[in-house]
Coordinates of all heavy atoms in Angstrom, one line a residue:
Q282 N -84.8 197.4 -30.2 CA -84.2 196.1 -30.2 C -82.7 196.2 -30.6 O -82.4 197.0 -31.5 CB -84.9 195.2 -31.2 CG -84.9 193.8 -30.9 CD -85.8 193.0 -31.8 OE1 -86.1 193.4 -33.0 NE2 -86.3 191.9 -31.3
V283 N -81.9 195.4 -29.9 CA -80.4 195.5 -30.2 C -80.0 194.3 -31.0 O -80.4 193.2 -30.7 CB -79.7 195.5 -28.8 CG1 -78.2 195.4 -29.0 CG2 -80.1 196.7 -28.0
D284 N -79.2 194.6 -32.0 CA -78.7 193.5 -32.8 C -77.3 193.1 -32.2 O -76.4 193.9 -32.1 CB -78.4 194.0 -34.3 CG -77.9 192.9 -35.2 OD1 -77.6 191.8 -34.8 OD2 -77.9 193.2 -36.4
A285 N -77.3 191.8 -31.8 CA -76.1 191.3 -31.1 C -74.8 191.4 -31.9 O -73.7 191.5 -31.4 CB -76.3 189.9 -30.7
R286 N -74.9 191.5 -33.2 CA -73.7 191.6 -34.1 C -73.1 193.0 -34.0 O -72.0 193.2 -34.3 CB -74.1 191.3 -35.5 CG -74.5 189.9 -35.7 CD -75.0 189.6 -37.1 NE -76.2 190.5 -37.3 CZ -77.1 190.4 -38.3 NH1 -76.8 189.6 -39.3 NH2 -78.2 191.1 -38.3
E287 N -73.9 194.0 -33.5 CA -73.4 195.3 -33.3 C -72.7 195.6 -32.0 O -72.1 196.6 -31.8 CB -74.5 196.3 -33.6 CG -75.0 196.3 -35.0 CD -76.2 197.3 -35.2 OE1 -76.4 198.1 -34.3 OE2 -76.8 197.2 -36.2
I288 N -72.8 194.7 -31.1 CA -72.2 194.8 -29.7 C -70.8 194.4 -29.8 O -70.4 193.3 -30.2 CB -73.0 194.0 -28.7 CG1 -74.4 194.5 -28.6 CG2 -72.3 194.1 -27.3 CD1 -75.3 193.6 -27.7
R289 N -69.9 195.3 -29.4 CA -68.5 195.0 -29.4 C -68.1 194.5 -28.0 O -68.6 195.0 -27.0 CB -67.7 196.3 -29.7 CG -67.9 196.7 -31.1 CD -66.9 197.8 -31.5 NE -67.1 198.1 -32.9 CZ -66.4 198.9 -33.6 NH1 -65.4 199.5 -33.0 NH2 -66.6 199.1 -34.9
T290 N -67.2 193.6 -28.0 CA -66.8 193.0 -26.7 C -65.4 193.5 -26.4 O -64.6 194.0 -27.2 CB -66.7 191.5 -26.8 OG1 -65.8 191.1 -27.9 CG2 -68.1 190.9 -27.1
R291 N -65.1 193.5 -25.1 CA -63.8 193.9 -24.6 C -62.7 193.0 -25.2 O -62.8 191.8 -25.1 CB -63.8 193.9 -23.1 CG -62.5 194.4 -22.5 CD -62.5 194.4 -21.1 NE -63.5 195.4 -20.6 CZ -63.6 195.8 -19.4 NH1 -62.9 195.3 -18.4 NH2 -64.5 196.7 -19.1
A292 N -61.6 193.6 -25.6 CA -60.5 192.8 -26.1 C -59.9 192.0 -24.9 O -59.8 192.5 -23.8 CB -59.5 193.7 -26.7
R293 N -59.5 190.8 -25.2 CA -58.8 190.0 -24.1 C -57.4 190.5 -24.0 O -56.6 190.6 -25.0 CB -58.8 188.5 -24.5 CG -58.2 187.7 -23.5 CD -58.3 186.2 -24.0 NE -57.9 185.4 -22.8 CZ -58.7 184.5 -22.2 NH1 -59.9 184.4 -22.7 NH2 -58.3 183.8 -21.2
P294 N -56.9 190.9 -22.8 CA -55.6 191.3 -22.7 C -54.5 190.2 -23.0 O -54.7 189.1 -22.6 CB -55.4 191.7 -21.2 CG -56.8 191.7 -20.7 CD -57.7 190.9 -21.6
R295 N -53.5 190.6 -23.8 CA -52.5 189.7 -24.2 C -51.1 190.3 -23.9 O -50.9 191.5 -24.0 CB -52.6 189.4 -25.7 CG -53.9 188.7 -26.1 CD -54.0 188.4 -27.5 NE -55.3 187.9 -27.8 CZ -55.6 187.4 -28.9 NH1 -54.8 187.4 -29.9 NH2 -56.8 186.9 -29.1
P296 N -50.2 189.4 -23.5 CA -48.8 189.9 -23.2 C -48.2 190.5 -24.5 O -48.4 190.0 -25.6 CB -48.1 188.6 -22.8 CG -49.1 187.6 -22.4 CD -50.3 188.0 -23.2
E297 N -47.5 191.6 -24.3 CA -46.9 192.3 -25.4 C -45.6 192.9 -24.9 O -45.6 193.7 -23.9 CB -47.8 193.4 -25.9 CG -47.3 194.1 -27.1 CD -48.3 195.1 -27.6 OE1 -49.5 195.1 -27.3 OE2 -47.9 196.0 -28.3
E298 N -44.5 192.6 -25.5 CA -43.2 193.2 -25.1 C -43.2 194.7 -25.5 O -43.4 195.0 -26.6 CB -42.1 192.5 -25.7 CG -40.7 192.9 -25.2 CD -39.6 192.1 -25.7 OE1 -39.8 191.1 -26.5 OE2 -38.5 192.4 -25.3
Q299 N -43.0 195.5 -24.4 CA -42.9 196.9 -24.6 C -41.9 197.5 -23.6 O -41.7 196.9 -22.5 CB -44.2 197.6 -24.3 CG -45.4 197.2 -25.2 CD -46.6 197.9 -24.7 OE1 -46.6 199.1 -24.4 NE2 -47.7 197.2 -24.5
P300 N -41.3 198.6 -23.9 CA -40.4 199.2 -22.8 C -41.2 199.7 -21.7 O -42.3 200.2 -21.9 CB -39.7 200.3 -23.6 CG -40.5 200.6 -24.8 CD -41.3 199.4 -25.1
L301 N -40.8 199.4 -20.5 CA -41.4 199.9 -19.3 C -40.4 200.7 -18.5 O -39.3 200.3 -18.3 CB -41.9 198.7 -18.4 CG -43.2 198.0 -18.8 CD1 -43.4 196.9 -17.8 CD2 -44.4 199.0 -18.7
A302 N -40.8 201.9 -18.0 CA -40.0 202.7 -17.1 C -40.2 202.2 -15.7 O -41.1 202.7 -15.0 CB -40.3 204.2 -17.3
V303 N -39.5 201.2 -15.3 CA -39.6 200.6 -13.9 C -38.9 201.5 -12.9 O -37.7 201.7 -13.0 CB -39.1 199.2 -13.9 CG1 -39.2 198.6 -12.5 CG2 -39.8 198.3 -14.9
L304 N -39.7 202.0 -11.9 CA -39.1 202.9 -10.9 C -38.7 202.1 -9.7 O -37.7 202.4 -9.0 CB -40.2 203.9 -10.5 CG -40.7 204.8 -11.6 CD1 -41.8 205.7 -11.0 CD2 -39.6 205.7 -12.2
F305 N -39.4 201.0 -9.4 CA -39.1 200.1 -8.3 C -39.7 198.7 -8.6 O -40.8 198.6 -9.2 CB -39.8 200.7 -7.0 CG -39.6 199.8 -5.8 CD1 -38.4 199.8 -5.1 CD2 -40.6 199.0 -5.4 CE1 -38.3 199.0 -4.0 CE2 -40.5 198.1 -4.3 CZ -39.3 198.2 -3.6
E306 N -39.0 197.7 -8.1 CA -39.5 196.4 -8.2 C -38.9 195.5 -7.1 O -37.7 195.5 -6.9 CB -39.2 195.8 -9.6 CG -39.7 194.4 -9.8 CD -39.5 193.8 -11.2 OE1 -38.7 194.5 -12.0 OE2 -40.0 192.8 -11.5
D307 N -39.8 194.7 -6.5 CA -39.3 193.7 -5.5 C -40.2 192.5 -5.8 O -40.9 192.4 -6.8 CB -39.3 194.2 -4.1 CG -40.7 194.5 -3.5 OD1 -41.7 194.1 -4.1 OD2 -40.7 195.1 -2.4
A308 N -40.2 191.6 -4.8 CA -41.0 190.3 -5.0 C -42.5 190.5 -5.0 O -43.2 189.6 -5.4 CB -40.6 189.3 -3.9
H309 N -42.9 191.7 -4.5 CA -44.4 191.9 -4.4 C -44.9 193.1 -5.1 O -46.2 193.2 -5.2 CB -44.7 192.0 -2.9 CG -44.2 190.9 -2.0 ND1 -44.7 189.7 -2.0 CD2 -43.1 190.9 -1.2 CE1 -44.1 188.9 -1.2 NE2 -43.1 189.6 -0.7
L310 N -44.1 194.0 -5.6 CA -44.5 195.3 -6.1 C -43.7 195.7 -7.2 O -42.4 195.6 -7.2 CB -44.5 196.3 -4.9 CG -44.9 197.7 -5.3 CD1 -46.4 197.8 -5.5 CD2 -44.5 198.6 -4.1
M311 N -44.3 196.3 -8.2 CA -43.6 197.0 -9.3 C -44.2 198.3 -9.5 O -45.4 198.4 -9.7 CB -43.6 196.2 -10.6 CG -43.0 196.9 -11.8 SD -43.3 196.0 -13.4 CE -42.0 194.8 -13.3
A312 N -43.4 199.4 -9.5 CA -43.9 200.7 -9.7 C -43.3 201.2 -11.1 O -42.1 201.1 -11.3 CB -43.4 201.7 -8.6
V313 N -44.2 201.6 -12.0 CA -43.7 202.1 -13.3 C -44.2 203.5 -13.6 O -45.2 203.9 -13.0 CB -44.2 201.1 -14.4 CG1 -43.7 199.7 -14.3 CG2 -45.7 201.1 -14.5
N314 N -43.5 204.2 -14.4 CA -43.9 205.5 -14.8 C -44.6 205.4 -16.2 O -43.9 205.1 -17.2 CB -42.6 206.4 -14.9 CG -43.0 207.8 -15.2 OD1 -44.1 208.2 -15.0 ND2 -42.0 208.6 -15.7
K315 N -45.9 205.5 -16.2 CA -46.7 205.4 -17.4 C -46.6 206.7 -18.2 O -46.9 207.7 -17.7 CB -48.2 205.1 -17.1 CG -49.0 204.9 -18.3 CD -50.5 204.8 -17.9 CE -51.2 206.1 -17.8 NZ -51.2 207.0 -19.0
P316 N -46.2 206.5 -19.5 CA -46.1 207.7 -20.3 C -47.5 208.4 -20.5 O -48.5 207.6 -20.6 CB -45.6 207.2 -21.7 CG -45.0 205.9 -21.4 CD -45.7 205.3 -20.2
A317 N -47.5 209.7 -20.6 CA -48.8 210.4 -20.8 C -49.4 209.9 -22.2 O -48.7 209.7 -23.1 CB -48.6 211.9 -20.9
G318 N -50.7 209.6 -22.2 CA -51.3 209.2 -23.4 C -51.4 207.7 -23.6 O -52.1 207.2 -24.5
Q319 N -50.6 206.9 -22.8 CA -50.7 205.5 -23.0 C -51.9 205.0 -22.4 O -52.3 205.3 -21.2 CB -49.5 204.8 -22.3 CG -49.5 203.3 -22.5 CD -48.3 202.6 -21.9 OE1 -47.8 203.0 -20.9 NE2 -47.9 201.5 -22.4
V320 N -52.7 204.1 -23.1 CA -53.9 203.6 -22.6 C -53.6 202.5 -21.5 O -52.6 201.7 -21.7 CB -54.7 202.9 -23.8 CG1 -56.0 202.2 -23.3 CG2 -55.1 204.0 -24.8
V321 N -54.3 202.4 -20.5 CA -54.0 201.5 -19.4 C -54.6 200.1 -19.7 O -53.9 199.1 -19.5 CB -54.6 202.0 -18.0 CG1 -54.4 201.0 -16.9 CG2 -53.9 203.4 -17.7
H322 N -55.9 200.0 -20.0 CA -56.5 198.7 -20.2 C -56.9 198.5 -21.7 O -57.3 199.5 -22.4 CB -57.8 198.6 -19.4 CG -57.6 198.6 -18.0 ND1 -57.8 199.8 -17.3 CD2 -57.3 197.7 -17.1 CE1 -57.6 199.5 -16.0 NE2 -57.3 198.3 -15.9
P323 N -56.7 197.3 -22.2 CA -57.2 197.1 -23.6 C -58.7 197.3 -23.8 O -59.4 197.0 -22.8 CB -56.8 195.6 -23.9 CG -55.8 195.2 -22.8 CD -56.1 196.1 -21.7
S324 N -59.1 197.7 -25.0 CA -60.5 197.8 -25.3 C -60.6 197.5 -26.8 O -59.6 197.2 -27.4 CB -61.0 199.2 -25.0 OG -60.4 200.1 -25.9
Y325 N -61.8 197.6 -27.3 CA -62.0 197.3 -28.7 C -61.3 198.3 -29.6 O -61.0 198.0 -30.7 CB -63.5 197.1 -29.1 CG -64.3 198.4 -29.0 CD1 -64.4 199.2 -30.2 CD2 -64.9 198.8 -27.9 CE1 -65.1 200.4 -30.1 CE2 -65.6 200.0 -27.8 CZ -65.7 200.8 -29.0 OH -66.4 201.9 -29.0
K326 N -61.1 199.5 -29.1 CA -60.3 200.5 -29.8 C -58.8 200.4 -29.6 O -58.1 200.9 -30.5 CB -60.8 201.9 -29.4 CG -62.2 202.2 -29.9 CD -62.5 203.7 -29.5 CE -63.8 204.1 -30.0 NZ -64.1 205.5 -29.7
H327 N -58.4 199.8 -28.5 CA -57.0 199.8 -28.2 C -56.7 198.4 -27.7 O -56.6 198.1 -26.5 CB -56.6 200.8 -27.1 CG -56.9 202.2 -27.5 ND1 -58.1 202.8 -27.1 CD2 -56.2 203.1 -28.2 CE1 -58.1 204.0 -27.6 NE2 -57.0 204.2 -28.2
E328 N -56.4 197.5 -28.6 CA -56.1 196.1 -28.2 C -54.7 195.9 -27.9 O -54.3 195.0 -27.2 CB -56.5 195.1 -29.4 CG -58.0 195.1 -29.6 CD -58.4 194.1 -30.7 OE1 -57.5 193.2 -31.0 OE2 -59.5 194.2 -31.2
R329 N -53.8 196.8 -28.4 CA -52.4 196.6 -28.2 C -51.8 197.9 -27.7 O -52.4 199.0 -27.8 CB -51.7 196.3 -29.5 CG -52.1 195.0 -30.2 CD -51.4 194.8 -31.4 NE -52.0 193.7 -32.2 CZ -51.5 193.3 -33.3 NH1 -50.5 193.9 -33.9 NH2 -52.2 192.4 -34.0
G330 N -50.6 197.8 -27.1 CA -49.8 199.0 -26.7 C -50.3 199.5 -25.4 O -49.9 200.6 -25.0
T331 N -51.1 198.8 -24.6 CA -51.5 199.3 -23.3 C -50.6 198.9 -22.2 O -49.7 198.0 -22.4 CB -52.9 198.7 -23.0 OG1 -52.8 197.3 -22.7 CG2 -53.9 198.9 -24.1
L332 N -50.7 199.6 -21.1 CA -49.9 199.3 -19.9 C -50.1 197.8 -19.5 O -49.2 197.1 -19.1 CB -50.2 200.3 -18.8 CG -49.4 200.1 -17.5 CD1 -47.9 200.2 -17.8 CD2 -49.8 201.1 -16.5
L333 N -51.4 197.4 -19.4 CA -51.7 196.0 -19.0 C -51.0 195.0 -19.9 O -50.5 194.0 -19.4 CB -53.2 195.8 -18.9 CG -53.6 194.5 -18.3 CD1 -53.0 194.3 -16.9 CD2 -55.1 194.3 -18.3
N334 N -51.0 195.2 -21.2 CA -50.3 194.3 -22.1 C -48.8 194.2 -21.7 O -48.3 193.1 -21.7 CB -50.4 194.8 -23.6 CG -51.8 194.8 -24.1 OD1 -52.4 195.8 -24.4 ND2 -52.4 193.6 -24.3
A335 N -48.2 195.3 -21.5 CA -46.8 195.3 -21.1 C -46.6 194.6 -19.8 O -45.6 193.8 -19.6 CB -46.2 196.7 -21.0
L336 N -47.4 194.8 -18.8 CA -47.3 194.2 -17.5 C -47.5 192.7 -17.6 O -46.9 191.9 -16.9 CB -48.2 194.8 -16.5 CG -47.9 196.2 -16.1 CD1 -49.0 196.8 -15.2 CD2 -46.5 196.3 -15.4
L337 N -48.5 192.2 -18.4 CA -48.7 190.8 -18.6 C -47.4 190.1 -19.2 O -47.1 189.0 -18.8 CB -49.9 190.5 -19.5 CG -51.2 190.8 -18.9 CD1 -52.3 190.8 -20.0 CD2 -51.5 189.8 -17.9
H338 N -46.7 190.8 -20.0 CA -45.5 190.3 -20.6 C -44.4 190.2 -19.4 O -43.8 189.1 -19.3 CB -44.9 191.2 -21.7 CG -43.6 190.7 -22.2 ND1 -43.4 189.6 -23.0 CD2 -42.4 191.2 -22.0 CE1 -42.2 189.5 -23.3 NE2 -41.5 190.4 -22.7
E339 N -44.3 191.2 -18.6 CA -43.4 191.2 -17.5 C -43.8 190.1 -16.5 O -42.9 189.4 -16.0 CB -43.4 192.5 -16.8 CG -42.6 193.6 -17.5 CD -41.2 193.3 -17.7 OE1 -40.5 193.0 -16.6 OE2 -40.7 193.4 -18.8
A340 N -45.1 189.9 -16.3 CA -45.5 188.9 -15.3 C -45.2 187.5 -15.7 O -45.1 186.6 -14.8 CB -47.0 189.0 -15.1
S341 N -44.9 187.3 -17.0 CA -44.6 185.9 -17.4 C -43.3 185.4 -16.8 O -43.0 184.2 -16.8 CB -44.6 185.8 -18.9 OG -43.5 186.6 -19.4
R342 N -42.4 186.3 -16.3 CA -41.2 185.9 -15.7 C -41.2 186.0 -14.2 O -40.2 185.6 -13.6 CB -40.1 186.8 -16.3 CG -40.2 188.3 -15.9 CD -39.0 189.1 -16.4 NE -39.2 190.5 -16.0 CZ -38.8 191.0 -14.8 NH1 -38.3 190.2 -13.9 NH2 -39.0 192.3 -14.6
W343 N -42.3 186.3 -13.6 CA -42.4 186.4 -12.2 C -42.5 184.9 -11.6 O -43.3 184.1 -12.1 CB -43.6 187.2 -11.7 CG -43.6 188.6 -12.1 CD1 -42.5 189.3 -12.5 CD2 -44.7 189.5 -12.1 NE1 -42.8 190.6 -12.7 CE2 -44.2 190.8 -12.5 CE3 -46.0 189.4 -11.8 CZ2 -45.0 191.9 -12.6 CZ3 -46.8 190.5 -11.9 CH2 -46.3 191.8 -12.3
P344 N -41.7 184.6 -10.6 CA -41.8 183.2 -10.0 C -43.1 182.8 -9.5 O -43.5 181.7 -9.5 CB -40.7 183.3 -8.9 CG -40.0 184.6 -9.0 CD -40.8 185.5 -9.9
S345 N -43.9 183.8 -9.0 CA -45.2 183.4 -8.4 C -46.2 183.0 -9.4 O -47.2 182.3 -9.1 CB -45.7 184.6 -7.6 OG -46.1 185.7 -8.5
G346 N -46.1 183.5 -10.6 CA -47.0 183.2 -11.7 C -48.3 184.0 -11.6 O -49.3 183.8 -12.3
D347 N -48.4 184.9 -10.6 CA -49.6 185.8 -10.4 C -49.7 186.8 -11.5 O -48.7 187.3 -12.0 CB -49.5 186.5 -9.1 CG -49.5 185.6 -7.9 OD1 -50.1 184.6 -8.0 OD2 -49.0 186.0 -6.8
P348 N -50.9 187.1 -11.9 CA -51.2 188.1 -12.9 C -51.0 189.5 -12.3 O -51.2 189.6 -11.0 CB -52.6 187.9 -13.3 CG -53.3 187.3 -12.1 CD -52.2 186.4 -11.5
P349 N -50.7 190.5 -13.0 CA -50.6 191.8 -12.5 C -51.9 192.4 -12.1 O -53.0 192.1 -12.6 CB -50.0 192.7 -13.6 CG -50.4 191.9 -14.8 CD -50.5 190.5 -14.5
A350 N -51.9 193.3 -11.1 CA -53.1 194.0 -10.6 C -52.7 195.5 -10.6 O -51.6 195.8 -10.2 CB -53.5 193.6 -9.2
L351 N -53.5 196.3 -11.2 CA -53.2 197.7 -11.4 C -53.7 198.6 -10.2 O -54.8 198.4 -9.8 CB -53.7 198.3 -12.7 CG -53.2 197.6 -13.9 CD1 -53.9 198.2 -15.1 CD2 -51.7 197.9 -14.1
L352 N -52.8 199.5 -9.7 CA -53.2 200.5 -8.7 C -52.7 201.8 -9.3 O -51.5 201.9 -9.6 CB -52.6 200.1 -7.4 CG -52.7 201.1 -6.3 CD1 -54.2 201.2 -5.9 CD2 -51.9 200.8 -5.1
T353 N -53.5 202.8 -9.4 CA -53.1 204.1 -9.9 C -53.1 205.1 -8.8 O -53.7 204.9 -7.8 CB -54.0 204.5 -11.0 OG1 -55.3 204.7 -10.5 CG2 -54.0 203.5 -12.2
R354 N -52.4 206.2 -9.1 CA -52.3 207.2 -8.1 C -53.5 208.1 -8.1 O -54.4 208.0 -8.8 CB -51.1 208.1 -8.3 CG -51.1 208.7 -9.7 CD -49.8 209.5 -9.8 NE -49.4 209.6 -11.2 CZ -49.6 210.7 -12.0 NH1 -50.0 211.8 -11.4 NH2 -49.3 210.7 -13.2

């Protein structure tokens, strides 16, 4: 039997200002150089400092208002 209090939930991604190494950006695409060791998606262990947190902050200034979508190599 599982105790629901012991189940951890995924952290909700929140915008966070961080330096981004932007390689390319236009109206539809942004390419960034992710530092080695940087976590990509927030989790219960890594709620802050992730690439998605940084991209959400950047997306707040995009005219389209679209959220970022990640594509990795």
Side-chain angles (χ1 to χ4, degrees):
Q282 208 171 27
V283 175
D284 185 348
R286 294 173 295 190
E287 294 179 13
I288 298 174
R289 295 191 173 182
T290 59
R291 181 178 293 187
R293 183 182 190 113
R295 296 182 185 188
E297 182 180 341
E298 187 172 1
Q299 298 176 48
L301 281 175
V303 178
L304 303 174
F305 175 82
E306 182 177 9
D307 67 12
H309 308 285
L310 179 72
M311 175 188 279
V313 299
N314 187 17
K315 182 188 84 61
Q319 182 181 30
V320 177
V321 176
H322 296 97
S324 68
Y325 70 92
K326 289 184 179 181
H327 301 96
E328 294 183 19
R329 298 183 193 178
T331 70
L332 180 60
L333 186 58
N334 294 112
L336 291 173
L337 285 169
H338 176 76
E339 286 295 311
S341 66
R342 64 179 180 81
W343 295 344
S345 68
D347 292 334
L351 296 174
L352 173 68
T353 61
R354 56 184 154 106

